[in-house]
Every structure is written in C-alpha cells, then in structure tokens.
Amino acid sequence: MSDQLPPPLNPPVRLLMGPGPSEIHPRVLRALAANTVGHLDPYYLALMNDMQGMLRTLFRTQNPMTMAISATGSAGMESTVVNLIEPGDSMIVCVNGVFGERMTDVAGRAGAAVTRVDRPWGEIFEPSHLKEALAKAKPKVVGIVMAETSTGALQPLEEISNIVHDAGALLLVDAVTALGGVPVEVDKLRIDAIYSGSQKCLSCPPGLSPASFSPAAVETILNRKTKVQSWYLDVGMLAKYWGQERVYHHTAPINMTYGLYEALRIILEEGQEPAFARHALNHKALKAGLAAIGIKYASNEAHTLPMLNAVHIPAGVDDMKVRGGLLNRFGIEIGGGLGAYKGKVWRVGLMGHGSRQVNVLSFLAALEQLLAEQAYGFEHGAAIAAANAVYLTHK
Ligand SMILES: *Cc1c(COP(=O)(O)O)cnc(C)c1O
C-alpha cells in the first residue's frame, strides 16, 4: 500500500519575488500551525474583533463594515461588485491592465450595464479621461484599480474620487496589491468599497480578502430591491457573523485568520510609515540597479509601484531561459507578463516581508549572471553597484 502513496509533502524553498504570493513571514507560518478552535469559540470571536480593528487601522477607516472575505482577492472584487450592483445598474470600469479587465467581466456577470473606459497599459487615469463617460453613463458605481499588478502602475485616487462623487456615484477600489505597501486612505479618499488580498504586501498565504464598505455603500446594499446574486458573498449576511449577532453563515477559515492576524500585527509593529518607506527604498534600489544594465520600466515612470516592478525584457534575451534559470538554479520566482505583456515583461515583486535589501541584491546578482550567459551586452557588476549606492545614501 505504502509504495502506492504519493510522495510526502516537501515543497522546495523559494524566494517568492513575483506578483504574489509573496514571501511569507516566518511568524505567519507559525501562526497558521496554531491550535484550531471553533469559529464561535470566545477566543476566536475576540481575535476577529482585534483583526477588524487592525484592518481598519491599515485601511485608515472608521467603517464598521470592515472584514476579511473567506477567499482570495478576486472574491473581494466579486463581493464588492455583486453587493453594490443590481441587474441593469450602470457601472463604469477603468481598464488599464488585467485586473480592470477582470472587473468588467465580474460586473457584466453581475448584471451591470458596463461602460469601460480604457487607457493604454502602463498609463494611469486622470479625471479628464472619465468626464465624458460619467456624464453619459450616469453610473451607480465606478471601479478602478489602485495598484495594477499586470503593469506596475500606481493610480492616484484623490481627484478621481472627487469627480466620481460629484457625479453621484460610489467609488469601488481594487487595493489587492496596494494594501501594506503604500498608504490606502479609505476615509480621506471617500472610497465606498475596497478589497485586498492576503498574499501580496500582507505576506500571508493566499486565501483571505480584507474588504471595507463605507456607510453610503452599506445604505445602498440595505436598500437593494433584489437579493445579492451570490449567497456566499452577501455582505448583509456576512455582517451578522462579523457583527454582534454572530449568526453562523459559513465556517470561517480559522487558521488563515490566525495567519492574517499575525501578518497585520507584524505590519503595525513595524509601523505603517516605516513599512511604506522600506518599500520605497527597495524599489528605488532595484530600479537603479536595473537602469544601470539598461532595463526599463513598462509603466509610466512617474507612477511606478514600489511593490511591483514590471520591466521590459531586453531585446534578444530569452524570457524562459532567464525565468527558468532564476527558479531552477537560484530558487527565485519572478512573474512573466500577462495579457498584452505576455513574453514582453518581467514582473518583480518586492512585497511586504519580501521587500528587503537581501532580496534586491540576490535577484540582481542572479539576473546579471543569467544575462551574462546570453549575448546581452552590459557592464558586469553595474546593477549591484548602483543598487548598493542607493542603500549607501540612505544609511
Ligand atoms: C492578485 C490581484 C487580484 C486577484 O487576487 P487573487 O488573490 O489572485 O484572486 C486582483 N487585483 C489585483 C490588482 C491583483 O494584483
């Protein structure tokens, strides 16, 4: 019998430097292995309350309706859309990469009359890009991605929020990659519905999607004429478990909650501002290193994400040889391009616990070695020197 068993579990040790999952903090891995209690155990209920508090701190919001959806970031997307949209409602979706594209699909399936506004990949949206669509579509909801992981572009939201609210619409934001790496100002920016994911800058395994709904969004949900199309993601029902009533809805993923709880504690222990500064510094060092060997960013240089570096693969360099070499010889995973960027870009994540000098230098050293083996001309050692120069000036 035993010789028919598949092999024992023994996953390789990888340095996760792609678009997610990111490197998990060892304390989070230990938290995941803690004793499982029941989902109505007083210990667990207290933990949920504390986690909600930490999520509000990180989202910078007072929203009572702040929780973690029991599924990955895409379920967060789906939950915000299906709760706000009723069949026939008008929704604008801003598309400048894969995740905006995904949101149009989710919104269409939820029955929204979707107006998509497109920008070239790597670019961001200015209010002027939305004016006409807002006047024409009179949307109930406008959806936009804050950190577009497929292109590496960081979307500023202040002016967009003003124009969306002036038009009487609700603002829905994808902060899957943003949360934990840059400030996410839910209340200040008047964001009505927002979701994230546990496996990007929160350095937890995939499986939970922190989400928050403004009082205006909650009112919209309470005034629905139709039932929320998804039973599992019905926020009104979920709120009865996360709120005082503690009504059973679905069995909470207890140990994942332990993991996210510890991940949030780690971020707040370091401090949000120091964590954001660390992301900015490591991004700057990586960027300097890549620039020194002629590798350019795919997104608008004025709006590059600190936690996700999407760069053009240099002409003549074999994508698979480099990514395969990184993985098989150095144990480093980076991401390839998605959609329009397939085969054209690499995506290098410096997310959460993964945003560290040791990872920047390890990656650049391995990359230089792999590029040197191909006929790509560059000054050997230049990437490491340039990155280290950035660290030296920030001592
Ligand atoms: C990763 C990601 C998602 C999807 O999250 P999953 O956890 O893979 O479901 C959505 N939006 C953005 C911007 C992402 O980076």
Side-chain angles (χ1 to χ4, degrees), residues 46-47 50-51 54 256-266:
L47 198 83
D50 288 340
M51 188 170 82
M54 290 192 287
M256 267 307 295
T257 306
Y258 295 166
L260 183 58
Y261 176 89
E262 190 64 3
L264 293 167
R265 277 192 77 234
I266 290 167

Side-chain angles (χ1 to χ4, degrees), residues 280-343:
L281 173 61
N282 289 314
H283 167 62
K284 194 174 167 192
L286 180 71
K287 201 173 192 177
L290 293 170
I293 56 172
I295 294 179
K296 298 193 165 60
Y297 276 66
S299 53
N300 184 323
E301 288 278 343
H303 299 283
T304 52
L305 288 174
M307 70 290 280
L308 194 281
N309 303 266
V311 298
H312 290 294
I313 300 171
V317 170
D318 186 321
D319 178 18
M320 284 321 293
K321 266 194 189 149
V322 171
R323 279 196 290 137
L326 283 170
L327 189 69
N328 299 317
R329 287 163 52 194
F330 298 94
I332 298 175
E333 178 186 276
I334 65 164
L338 286 180
Y341 281 172
K342 196 169 182 340

Side-chain angles (χ1 to χ4, degrees), residues 19 72-75 77 99 102 145 147-149 174 176-177 195 197 199-200 206:
T72 69
S74 302
M77 181 186 290
F99 295 103
R102 182 175 296 181
V145 178
E148 189 34 274
T149 321
D174 177 322
V176 174
T177 288
Y195 57 92
Q199 80 277 26
K200 313 249 170 148

Side-chain angles (χ1 to χ4, degrees), residues 9 26 30 66 88 98 102 141 202 211 230 241 267 318 344 367 372:
L9 183 74
R30 285 200 293 276
T66 302
V98 164
R102 182 175 296 181
V141 178
L202 303 180
S230 164
Y241 174 52
I267 293 173
D318 186 321
K344 297 189 178 131
L367 181 66

Side-chain angles (χ1 to χ4, degrees), residues 8 14 60 65 73 77 103 171 252 266 277 293 296 364 380 385:
R14 303 288 196 211
R60 302 179 171 201
M65 191 85 99
M77 181 186 290
M103 200 189 287
L171 179 63
I266 290 167
I293 56 172
K296 298 193 165 60
L364 288 174
H380 295 190

Side-chain angles (χ1 to χ4, degrees), residues 15-329:
L15 183 50
L16 296 174
M17 294 184 69
S22 61
E23 200 182 346
I24 314 293
H25 196 291
R27 274 171 56 187
V28 172
L29 286 176
R30 285 200 293 276
L32 290 166
N35 301 326
T36 303
V37 298
H39 66 100
L40 292 173
D41 192 292
Y43 179 82
Y44 188 70
L45 298 180
L47 198 83
M48 284 170 76
N49 286 343
D50 288 340
M51 188 170 82
Q52 277 183 299
M54 290 192 287
L55 283 176
R56 288 190 192 104
T57 303
L58 199 54
F59 272 133
R60 302 179 171 201
T61 185
Q62 305 286 328
N63 289 342
M65 191 85 99
T66 302
M67 62 183 112
I69 305 285
S70 306
T72 69
S74 302
M77 181 186 290
E78 195 123 21
S79 76
T80 50
V81 172
V82 299
N83 280 280
L84 294 178
I85 291 293
E86 296 192 61
D89 284 345
S90 170
M91 175 166 174
I92 290 179
V93 181
C94 303
V95 182
N96 57 351
V98 164
F99 295 103
E101 187 77 52
R102 182 175 296 181
M103 200 189 287
T104 64
D105 193 1
V106 169
R109 287 168 191 244
V114 180
T115 302
R116 59 182 287 159
V117 182
D118 279 89
R119 288 279 293 148
W121 279 43
E123 293 298 327
I124 58 155
F125 287 86
E126 307 278 357
S128 60
H129 300 128
L130 288 180
K131 246 186 186 134
E132 201 184 306
L134 283 170
K136 227 178 180 170
K138 300 197 172 34
K140 179 183 188 183
V141 178
V142 176
I144 194 162
V145 178
M146 184 173 175
E148 189 34 274
T149 321
S150 62
T151 69
L154 177 62
Q155 173 66 51
L157 289 172
E158 192 168 345
E159 293 173 66
I160 296 284
S161 174
N162 290 339
I163 182 172
V164 165
H165 287 106
D166 288 349
L170 297 167
L171 179 63
L172 190 164
V173 172
D174 177 322
V176 174
T177 288
L179 193 69
V182 289
V184 177
E185 299 276 4
V186 172
D187 285 0
K188 200 163 135 201
L189 295 173
R190 294 187 289 155
I191 295 168
D192 293 295
I194 190 163
Y195 57 92
S196 184
S198 50
Q199 80 277 26
K200 313 249 170 148
C201 290
L202 303 180
S203 298
C204 195
L208 284 176
S209 174
S212 187
F213 294 83
S214 74
V218 171
E219 198 184 310
T220 303
I221 295 168
L222 292 177
N223 288 327
R224 291 176 64 101
K225 292 187 188 69
T226 58
K227 272 189 176 178
V228 175
Q229 164 260 329
S230 164
W231 180 89
Y232 191 67
L233 300 174
D234 184 324
V235 160
M237 291 162 82
L238 291 174
K240 291 191 181 143
Y241 174 52
W242 284 87
Q244 292 305 311
E245 300 166 67
R246 304 296 185 188
V247 179
Y248 164 69
H249 180 257
H250 66 270
T251 310
I254 315 292
N255 290 53
M256 267 307 295
T257 306
Y258 295 166
L260 183 58
Y261 176 89
E262 190 64 3
L264 293 167
R265 277 192 77 234
I266 290 167
I267 293 173
L268 298 182
E269 201 176 277
E270 177 181 11
Q272 294 186 60
E273 301 311 329
F276 302 150
R278 176 170 53 77
H279 280 85
L281 173 61
N282 289 314
H283 167 62
K284 194 174 167 192
L286 180 71
K287 201 173 192 177
L290 293 170
I293 56 172
I295 294 179
K296 298 193 165 60
Y297 276 66
S299 53
N300 184 323
E301 288 278 343
H303 299 283
T304 52
L305 288 174
M307 70 290 280
L308 194 281
N309 303 266
V311 298
H312 290 294
I313 300 171
V317 170
D318 186 321
D319 178 18
M320 284 321 293
K321 266 194 189 149
V322 171
R323 279 196 290 137
L326 283 170
L327 189 69
N328 299 317
R329 287 163 52 194

